[in-house]
Amino acid sequence: MLEGYQSRHSRGFSIARSLHIDLTLLVGLLMIASLGLVILYSASNQNIDIIYRQLTRLGVAFGIMLIIAQVPPRQLQFWTPWLFGIGVILLIAVLSGFGVVSKGAQRWLDLGLFRFQPSEIIKITLPMMLAWYLNDAALPPRPKRILVCGLLIIVPTLLIAKQPDLGTALLIASSGVFVILLSGIRWRFVFASIFTAVAAAPLLWYFMHDYQRRRVLTFLNPENDPLGAGWHIVQSKIAIGSGGTYGKGWLNGSQSHLEFLPERSTDFIFAVYGEEFGLMGVVVLLLMYLFVIARGLYIAAQAQDTFGRLLAGSIAITFFFSIFVNIGMVTGLLPVVGLPLPIVSYGGTSMVTLMIAFGILMSVHTHRKLLSQ
C-alpha cells in the first residue's frame, strides 16, 4: 500500500516536472492566494463581485506563470537586453507626453483597450539585465562592472521616481541591489554604498514631492495630525492592536467594517487581517510567505549557472522585501510608500508581474537537467 502511494506520489512529481511546474512552489502560492481571498471578502464588506474579479485575475496570473515556466532560461537570457531596452524606452515615452495622467501621477500608457504601466516590465527585466551582464565574467565583479550595474539601476529608478511612483522605484532599485549583493561583492563596496546613500539622503529630500515629504513627517510623528495625514497609519495601528492574540473573528473587524480604515482592500489589507485573526493568524500568514521565500532561495542555490542563480535569488529576496515594506508601513515601522501586500491585496497588474517572476523561478528549477544535457 505504501509502495502504491509512493509510486503515485513520484508519478505526480514526474508529470509536474515534465510540464515544468514546481509543485512545492505552486502549493505555497495557492495557499497564500486562498487565504488572500478569505481576507479580501471581509475587507470588501462581503462584496462577491470583487471576489469574482480577483479570482479572474488570479486565474490569468497563474496561467501566465505556467506559460513563462515553459520558456527555457537560455531563451530568457537571450531576450533580456531587448526586453530591458524596450522597458526603458517605454518609461521615457511615459514622461515625454505619451503618458496618461491620473491622480497626479503620470505612470500609464493608453493602449486603447487597457492602460499599461511600463514600470511593471522593469520590475522583471532589471534583475534579469544585471544577471545577464554579470554572467559574462568571473565573480565577484570588478569595480568597473559594479559601476555599470549602478548605472543600469539608477536610470530606470529615476525615471519611475519622476512619474512619481516612489514605492515602485524603491522596489526596483532594491531588486537590482540584491543581484549585486548575490554576486559576491566585497564588503567594502557594501559599506561604501551605504555611506553614499546616507550622505545623499538630504539630496533625496530636496527632490521629493510635497506629499512624499508629508508621508515621511507623518511616519516620524503620526499623532501630529491624526485626523489628516496621520489618519491611515493611526487607524491601521488601532486595528492591528485591537486584534490581540486571537483576533475578533472573521467578518468582525470593527475598524474596517465601520469605515475607519482606508485602502483596506489594497495597501492596508494586512491591518484587516491582523484585527480579525490576531497575532496567531499573522504568524500563519508569515509562515506561508516564509515557505515560498525558502523555496525560492533553494531554487537559487540549485541553479546551474550564474544567470539563473542571481536571477532566482533576486526574485526570492525582492519578494521578501515587498512583504517587509508593506507590513512595515501598515504597522508604522516604515513610511507609507504605496506597495500592496503580495498575492493578498486586491489588484491585477502587480499580481501578473509577480507571477511572471515565479514562472521564471519554475523555469530555472525545472529546466536544470535539460541544461546539463
Side-chain angles (χ1 to χ4, degrees), residues 101-237:
V101 179
S102 177
K103 298 180 180 179
Q106 192 171 0
R107 303 172 185 172
W108 300 268
L109 289 174
D110 193 348
L111 301 182
L113 294 176
F114 61 93
R115 290 182 177 181
F116 172 70
Q117 197 168 345
S119 58
E120 295 296 328
I121 294 181
I122 299 297
K123 274 185 185 176
I124 299 296
T125 57
L126 177 62
M128 288 174 67
M129 184 67 196
L130 295 177
W132 174 85
Y133 178 69
L134 293 173
N135 184 58
D136 284 343
L139 298 179
R142 301 177 69 83
K144 183 181 176 182
R145 283 191 166 264
I146 296 173
L147 181 62
V148 174
C149 290
L151 291 174
L152 290 171
I153 295 172
I154 288 172
V155 171
T157 299
L158 290 180
L159 289 172
I160 294 167
K162 182 74 175 172
Q163 292 178 353
D165 189 352
L166 187 60
T168 303
L170 178 67
L171 186 65
I172 286 172
S174 302
S175 68
V177 169
F178 294 145
V179 174
I180 298 175
L181 293 176
L182 289 170
S183 69
I185 184 175
R186 290 183 172 83
W187 281 106
R188 64 172 180 268
F189 289 109
V190 175
F191 289 125
S193 301
I194 294 173
F195 177 78
T196 304
V198 172
L203 191 64
L204 178 65
W205 179 264
Y206 175 78
F207 284 105
M208 277 183 170
H209 293 261
D210 288 340
Y211 80 92
Q212 291 170 335
R213 291 174 182 169
R214 281 197 298 274
R215 284 181 176 181
V216 175
L217 294 174
T218 301
F219 158 67
L220 295 174
N221 186 15
E223 284 75 19
N224 187 46
D225 187 13
L227 300 179
W231 177 263
H232 280 67
I233 193 60
V234 168
Q235 295 303 320
S236 177
K237 289 197 287 187

Side-chain angles (χ1 to χ4, degrees), residues 53 141 276 348 357:
R53 284 199 290 272
E276 297 189 352

Side-chain angles (χ1 to χ4, degrees), residues 36-57:
L37 289 172
V38 172
I39 305 168
L40 183 61
Y41 184 68
S42 178
S44 63
N45 284 332
Q46 305 172 47
N47 187 333
I48 195 67
D49 290 335
I50 285 183
I51 298 301
Y52 285 146
R53 284 199 290 272
Q54 185 75 347
L55 264 174
T56 303
R57 289 166 172 170

Side-chain angles (χ1 to χ4, degrees), residues 211-320:
Y211 80 92
Q212 291 170 335
R213 291 174 182 169
R214 281 197 298 274
R215 284 181 176 181
V216 175
L217 294 174
T218 301
F219 158 67
L220 295 174
N221 186 15
E223 284 75 19
N224 187 46
D225 187 13
L227 300 179
W231 177 263
H232 280 67
I233 193 60
V234 168
Q235 295 303 320
S236 177
K237 289 197 287 187
I238 290 173
I240 295 171
S242 63
T245 304
Y246 299 104
K248 296 176 179 175
W250 188 47
L251 306 177
N252 292 322
S254 56
Q255 289 300 114
S256 53
H257 294 293
L258 295 179
E259 308 291 338
F260 286 106
L261 188 62
E263 308 291 344
R264 58 185 180 276
S265 298
T266 52
D267 295 351
F268 281 78
I269 196 169
F270 182 78
V272 178
Y273 182 69
E275 182 181 21
E276 297 189 352
F277 292 89
L279 177 63
M280 300 305 294
V282 168
V283 170
V284 170
L285 177 60
L286 293 181
L287 286 175
M288 289 182 182
Y289 277 132
L290 185 62
F291 178 79
V292 171
I293 293 167
R295 185 63 183 176
L297 293 175
Y298 173 79
I299 289 173
Q302 295 292 314
Q304 289 181 317
D305 61 1
T306 302
F307 177 77
R309 188 163 52 253
L310 293 179
L311 182 56
S314 173
I315 289 172
I317 299 175
T318 304
F319 182 63
F320 160 77

